[in-house]
């Protein structure tokens, strides 16, 4: 009797996706494909590219992919950032601008170590890059768990989109290799992740809430807060933004999300009974 093959553990590299949000220039799409392939990655997702799905066949994109035709051909085009992040548990926003509100800040190397730590638990992780002209909106940034600013020369800090992708892909590659090599290299990645100001959970992967779980919980909680008259939908101020930041500081477990949804459900049902 033949024995069934042992399940294949996905490589850390396979758990990482690079998301370009509302990209304008086809050349940057091709260059980004080349950038991530040189670092061993293959998942490129385009959220609402200005040129539409045809950007993958644009001559400039194909030319600048320069050997990464497979990454370009397999890139996914989705209608918005929510679709691009579907199934992702840990997302990092890249921005040249600091934000008053939003997820906690991390350095590029810290964010790579954190992402690889999550990938090591079987989670999908993503690095999100905004459009060439306007970057990521506050709403886009708030959908992520961490915010990273590349500390370039303050006198001339302008980075091309594909250059930023290349830099981050390198940092994530080095973190992946450190973990896969084990020993002191893996310990260094773990220590770097631990030094970041963003808490992570040590719970098993199947106990952790996905980003989709948390988004559903936040929508449920918002409805409950409106029904309680604690949140004024006409003048919400920054309440939900601050709550997003609060929950982004830790990686919630599914049971914790279920508790919060249960509280929200009870609030809504109680008001109906009245």
């Amino acid at each position: 009797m033949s024995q069934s093959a042992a399940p294949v553990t996905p490589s850390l590299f396979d758990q990482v996706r690079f998301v370009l949000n509302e990209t304008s220039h086809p050349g940057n799409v091709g260059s980004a494909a080349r950038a991530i392939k040189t670092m061993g990655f293959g998942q490129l997702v385009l959220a609402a590219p200005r040129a539409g799905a045809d950007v993958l066949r644009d001559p400039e994109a194909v030319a600048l992919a320069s050997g990464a035709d497979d990454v370009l051909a397999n890139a996914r085009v989705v209608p918005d950032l929510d679709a691009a992040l579907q199934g992702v548990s840990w997302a990092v926003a890249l921005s040249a601008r600091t934000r008053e509100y939003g997820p906690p800040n991390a350095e590029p190397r810290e964010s790579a170590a954190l992402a690889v730590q999550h990938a090591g638990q079987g989670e999908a992780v993503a690095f999100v890059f905004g459009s060439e002209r306007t970057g990521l909106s506050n709403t886009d940034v708030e959908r992520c768990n961490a915010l990273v600013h590349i500390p370039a020369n303050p006198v001339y800090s302008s980075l091309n989109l594909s250059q930023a992708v290349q830099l981050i892909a390198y940092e994530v590659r080095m973190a992946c290799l450190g973990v896969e090599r084990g020993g002191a290299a893996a310990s260094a990645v773990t220590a770097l992740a631990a030094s970041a100001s963003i808490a992570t959970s040590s719970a098993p992967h199947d106990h952790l809430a996905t980003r989709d779980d948390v988004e559903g919980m936040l929508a449920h909680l918002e409805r409950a807060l409106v029904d309680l008259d604690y949140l004024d939908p006409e003048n919400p101020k920054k309440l939900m933004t601050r709550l997003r930041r609060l929950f982004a500081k830790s990686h919630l477990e599914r049971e914790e999300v279920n508790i919060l949804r249960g509280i929200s459900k009870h609030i809504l049902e109680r008001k109906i009974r009245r």
Side-chain angles (χ1 to χ4, degrees):
M1 178 183 292
S2 61
Q3 294 182 341
S4 58
V8 178
T9 302
S11 163
L12 292 173
F13 289 84
D14 297 331
Q15 301 294 100
V16 183
R17 73 180 70 163
F18 292 81
V19 177
L20 307 185
N21 189 52
E22 299 183 358
T23 310
S24 299
H25 304 302
N28 279 332
V29 173
S31 295
R34 180 180 182 181
I36 69 172
K37 182 169 183 176
T38 61
M39 294 296 115
F41 301 99
Q43 289 196 57
L44 181 63
V45 183
L46 310 179
R50 300 296 171 84
D54 288 341
V55 69
L56 300 180
R57 295 178 290 277
D58 186 280
E60 186 180 3
V62 174
L64 289 177
S66 186
D69 309 74
D70 54 338
V71 175
L72 186 63
N74 292 323
R76 291 194 296 119
V77 178
V78 296
D80 53 35
L81 185 56
D82 278 336
L85 294 178
Q86 187 171 9
V88 166
S89 294
W90 186 262
V92 178
L94 275 292
S95 178
R97 295 182 288 118
T98 57
R99 312 292 171 116
E100 182 180 1
Y101 300 98
N105 294 298
E107 294 293 326
R109 195 157 295 175
E110 291 175 345
S111 73
L114 283 165
V116 171
Q117 188 176 72
H118 285 285
Q121 297 180 38
E123 303 172 49
V125 299
F127 288 84
V128 182
F129 301 81
S131 68
E132 297 87 338
R133 188 174 64 85
T134 60
L136 293 170
S137 69
N138 288 337
T139 301
D140 294 333
V141 170
E142 288 167 9
R143 283 172 164 72
C144 299
N145 302 89
L147 175 63
V148 166
H149 169 69
I150 296 172
N153 179 1
V155 177
Y156 186 67
S157 60
S158 177
L159 278 173
N160 175 272
L161 173 60
S162 61
Q163 292 173 328
V165 172
Q166 183 79 76
L167 190 152
I168 295 300
Y170 168 78
E171 293 290 357
V172 184
R173 175 178 178 79
M174 296 309 293
C176 286
L177 291 176
V179 170
E180 290 185 349
R181 287 168 181 162
S187 298
V189 173
T190 302
L192 185 58
S195 70
S197 59
I198 305 170
T200 57
S201 174
S202 59
H205 167 59
D206 58 358
H207 291 181
L208 296 174
T210 66
R211 179 193 159 279
D212 300 332
D213 294 333
V214 176
E215 286 296 320
M217 178 272 292
L218 284 167
H220 202 171
L221 180 60
E222 183 174 10
R223 293 197 303 273
L225 293 174
V226 169
D227 268 17
L228 277 176
D229 295 324
Y230 187 80
L231 172 62
D232 180 359
E234 300 300 321
N235 186 28
K237 298 182 179 180
K238 295 289 183 180
L239 177 60
M240 293 310 299
T241 297
R242 289 180 180 277
L243 286 174
R244 279 181 176 277
R245 181 178 175 84
L246 171 66
F247 293 124
K249 289 180 179 178
S250 63
H251 201 162
L252 293 171
E253 297 178 21
R254 283 183 177 156
E255 183 62 29
E256 293 167 339
V257 166
N258 289 338
I259 289 171
L260 290 167
R261 294 203 71 155
I263 293 170
S264 298
K265 179 182 178 182
H266 188 74
I267 290 170
L268 292 167
E269 289 180 343
R270 186 174 182 180
K271 184 155 187 176
I272 291 172
R273 287 197 298 270
R274 287 181 177 178

